[in-house]
Amino acid sequence: MKRKRIIEILDHPTTGETVFVKGWVRAFRSNRFIQLNDGSTMNNIQAVVDFENFDEKLLKRVTTASAIAVQGKLVESEGKGQSHEIAVEKIEIIGDANPDDVQKTVMQPKKHSLEFLREQAHLRFRTNTFGAVFRIRHGLTFAVHKFFHDKGFYSLHSPIITGSDAEGAGETFHVTNFDLNEIPKTENGEIDYSEDFFGKAVNLTVSGQLEAELGALALGQVYTFGPTFRAENSNTSRHLAEFWMIEPEVAFNDLNDNMDLTESFLKYLCNFVLENYPDDLNFLDARDQQEQKAKPEKDRNPMTLTERLKFVANNNFERITYTEAIELLQRSKPYKKKKFKYLVEWGTDLQSEHERYLVEKEFQKPVIITDYPASFKAFYMRQNDDDKTVAAMDVLFPGIGEIVGGSQREERLDVLKKKCADFNIDEEELWWYLDTRKFGTVPHSGFGLGFERMVMFATGMTNIRDVIPFPRTPLNAEF
């Protein structure tokens, strides 16, 4: 008989139908009630066993975390919590789970700390929390591709191994084929990269943006969605050494067009989760509310997880310049009462506390800040006419602050060359990037969304290590 996924049965139950399911046992109560889950949904299906009809030795093997197959009739349930259940006719043990081993793992049916769950990342998918997180992560992945496909974008796979450092920060992972015990050196004692696999120094990519610009200047509008890497020795709840980035680039778009695209994209993602993952979202929402109660009152988010998603989906984003943001902050009560921890002054970057004030208190809607000082923005951002600011933008969300950064790109070759000099960037290293400004250069723009940041927002998880299957952080590359 063909197996049915549990979600199919629960979504469309047919009383009296004989069904065949496979899954993992979440609980077996009173030698009678099996809670079975196959990962297709947050919800278990209850399988009811008449133990007199089954061998006792067989039933003893039905333990928490064991894998079983069950066949039986779907009947209306007399108990609470489910409309239908399976009256079991056949049981097959597919994979045993030793109860003593289960007691040492995250599959033990009790609440575990997120730190403990990270230590067993190979098993944490079995828990309700991480089942919900990774189903929503999948949904967001699909939504990203659908959004851009429906708008006529082309997916571009930018290189993972590259010779450029798009951000200019120097926090890259080097890639080499050298025997590290016998690295060739030049006469000057420097590493001789001409002997390496690529004949030059290369690293893992920190961004696909520069390559995406090349694609946009021929295909019109492209997006990259791939892994990126930062060798930043940071152990905060917002940093990973390996993460995923979404980076669209559009020819003939200015900064206003870029803001329109970003806003519609983020609203689409939030609506997609709200419409397609109600069970997972409700579970994570309840979990988030419990987490909020445990925080000091000043640190609590006044909105529930669902409210935060609707806050983005249903509000038009406020658009202000960096200069206007500084002026608003300097007129604010927290500034006057010296409650801001970080300096608020033109020429300094905004901190999360400032960004959250603007979103949650001042405007009570998502905010896009534009036209930042050139001094702390990347070389490729278009210089404004005031020669002090660039056509940059950051999108701010409730609870987290910045979630998206983007800009109109500098399309003028002479200005871009000057920016390279100002940032000590070797023109020869980026000859191919500069070359695109020689053959029909056009205004163009794009943005970057750290995918894990978006998953954090959509699931209410507060540590970025809990929204990627196997986190890579300093001193940690397990699994």
Side-chain angles (χ1 to χ4, degrees):
M1 189 174 183
K2 188 174 181 181
R3 176 176 78 95
K4 264 196 170 183
R5 295 167 75 221
I6 289 172
I7 192 171
E8 297 169 19
I9 298 171
L10 296 180
D11 283 353
H12 305 287
T14 303
T15 303
E17 178 189 10
T18 297
V19 295
F20 180 51
V21 298
K22 296 180 180 180
W24 294 274
V25 175
R26 288 287 178 87
F28 187 18
R29 296 182 290 107
S30 308
N31 274 0
R32 182 167 172 78
F33 303 104
I34 301 173
Q35 296 295 321
L36 198 63
N37 190 284
D38 65 0
S40 63
T41 173
M42 164 67 57
N43 302 306
N44 304 325
I45 195 164
Q46 181 163 282
V48 183
V49 177
D50 187 345
F51 59 85
E52 292 179 355
N53 296 334
F54 293 91
D55 181 70
E56 185 179 350
K57 290 182 179 178
L58 176 70
L59 294 182
K60 282 187 175 180
R61 294 173 63 192
V62 180
T63 61
T64 298
S66 61
I68 66 172
V70 166
Q71 182 175 310
K73 276 194 171 54
L74 201 61
V75 298
E76 293 185 6
S77 178
E78 296 179 1
K80 295 180 180 180
Q82 64 277 324
S83 66
H84 288 73
E85 60 194 18
I86 301 173
V88 178
E89 297 169 354
K90 294 179 182 178
I91 296 178
E92 176 191 352
I93 308 296
I94 300 173
D96 290 287
N98 187 314
D100 292 336
D101 291 332
V102 170
Q103 290 296 313
K104 302 171 186 175
T105 72
V106 300
M107 288 183 284
Q108 184 183 356
K110 70 172 189 177
K111 185 176 176 65
H112 300 286
S113 71
L114 293 175
E115 290 79 8
F116 180 60
L117 289 163
R118 281 178 220 129
E119 292 172 5
Q120 296 187 15
H122 61 306
L123 300 175
R124 66 178 178 170
F125 301 105
R126 297 266 197 106
T127 65
N128 284 335
T129 297
F130 286 94
V133 166
F134 289 111
R135 279 187 291 269
I136 288 177
R137 182 183 171 108
H138 157 78
L140 286 168
T141 301
F142 175 79
V144 167
H145 290 295
K146 181 167 174 53
F147 174 86
F148 287 118
H149 174 77
D150 289 351
K151 287 191 173 294
F153 280 69
Y154 300 107
S155 173
L156 190 74
H157 293 147
S158 53
I160 293 174
I161 300 173
T162 175
S164 69
D165 174 6
E167 301 299 323
E171 295 164 338
T172 60
F173 288 101
H174 301 291
V175 177
T176 181
N177 193 43
F178 283 147
D179 178 344
L180 298 184
N181 293 314
E182 297 181 18
I183 298 176
K185 301 287 182 70
T186 64
E187 292 180 358
N188 297 329
E190 298 176 347
I191 296 174
D192 186 0
Y193 284 107
S194 68
E195 297 290 322
D196 207 352
F197 187 89
F198 293 103
K200 59 186 287 189
V202 295
N203 50 267
L204 296 178
T205 184
V206 300
S207 169
Q209 179 205 310
L210 303 189
E211 291 83 0
E213 285 188 53
L214 313 186
L217 294 174
L219 298 172
Q221 47 189 29
V222 303
Y223 71 102
T224 73
F225 187 177
T228 49
F229 308 84
R230 301 281 168 91
E232 184 178 359
N233 190 15
S234 175
N235 268 305
T236 77
S237 61
R238 292 166 61 87
H239 289 88
L240 290 168
E242 174 187 279
F243 55 99
W244 289 68
M245 283 283 287
I246 301 150
E247 297 176 290
E249 290 290 332
V250 187
F252 310 110
N253 265 17
D254 62 15
L255 186 62
N256 286 321
D257 298 320
N258 202 33
M259 289 190 282
D260 291 342
L261 176 66
T262 309
E263 181 170 343
S264 62
F265 176 55
L266 293 171
K267 286 182 174 180
Y268 182 89
L269 294 183
C270 291
N271 270 319
F272 193 90
V273 174
L274 286 164
E275 292 170 6
N276 292 281
Y277 292 88
D279 291 338
D280 292 315
L281 189 56
N282 287 339
F283 174 85
L284 291 170
D285 204 336
R287 179 191 175 279
D288 181 69
Q289 290 179 55
Q290 288 297 319
E291 294 287 317
Q292 294 295 330
K293 288 178 183 177
K295 294 180 180 179
E297 190 168 350
K298 65 181 180 66
D299 297 330
R300 292 176 191 169
N301 196 313
M303 289 182 282
T304 67
L305 174 58
T306 301
E307 287 170 345
R308 296 197 293 271
L309 287 166
K310 290 180 178 178
F311 179 89
V312 173
N314 299 336
N315 279 303
N316 291 326
F317 294 13
E318 188 73 26
R319 301 180 181 189
I320 61 172
T321 66
Y322 167 87
T323 301
E324 291 168 337
I326 292 294
E327 291 171 353
L328 280 169
L329 289 166
Q330 289 178 338
R331 293 198 299 265
S332 69
K333 286 183 180 179
Y335 178 81
K336 291 176 179 177
K337 293 182 177 181
K338 302 187 185 303
K339 289 190 174 181
F340 284 136
K341 180 180 178 182
Y342 294 97
L343 184 69
V344 179
E345 186 177 272
W346 204 99
T348 61
D349 204 356
L350 297 179
Q351 301 297 319
S352 179
E353 61 176 348
H354 309 137
E355 295 167 340
R356 289 188 60 182
Y357 171 81
L358 293 169
V359 173
E360 297 165 26
K361 303 295 184 184
E362 180 68 31
F363 294 109
Q364 297 182 4
K365 60 175 70 173
V367 176
I368 306 179
I369 299 180
T370 64
D371 302 305
Y372 283 84
S375 58
F376 56 80
K377 288 297 184 180
F379 80 97
Y380 50 72
M381 296 184 176
R382 195 180 200 277
Q383 191 79 24
N384 287 331
D385 293 340
D386 61 11
D387 282 333
K388 295 191 302 181
T389 62
V390 289
M393 65 164 206
D394 284 345
V395 181
L396 314 182
F397 268 18
I400 57 173
E402 181 197 341
I403 193 166
V404 164
S407 72
Q408 185 173 334
R409 315 310 190 188
E410 183 55 76
E411 85 279 10
R412 299 164 295 185
L413 181 60
D414 57 335
V415 179
L416 190 57
K417 283 188 170 185
K418 183 178 183 306
K419 294 288 282 288
C420 285
D422 292 343
F423 280 77
N424 294 316
I425 295 171
D426 187 352
E427 286 186 25
E428 291 185 9
E429 288 293 318
L430 287 179
W431 66 268
W432 45 271
Y433 184 72
L434 296 169
D435 222 29
T436 59
R437 275 62 174 175
K438 299 177 182 177
F439 304 98
T441 188
V442 299
H444 59 286
S445 65
F447 63 83
L449 169 63
F451 186 54
E452 282 72 26
R453 296 274 178 94
M454 186 66 213
V455 181
M456 286 174 71
F457 181 76
T459 60
M461 304 302 286
T462 56
N463 194 312
I464 199 167
R465 303 175 194 207
D466 297 326
V467 296
I468 192 167
F470 305 105
R472 298 294 182 244
T473 54
L475 303 180
N476 177 42
E478 198 63 66
F479 310 106

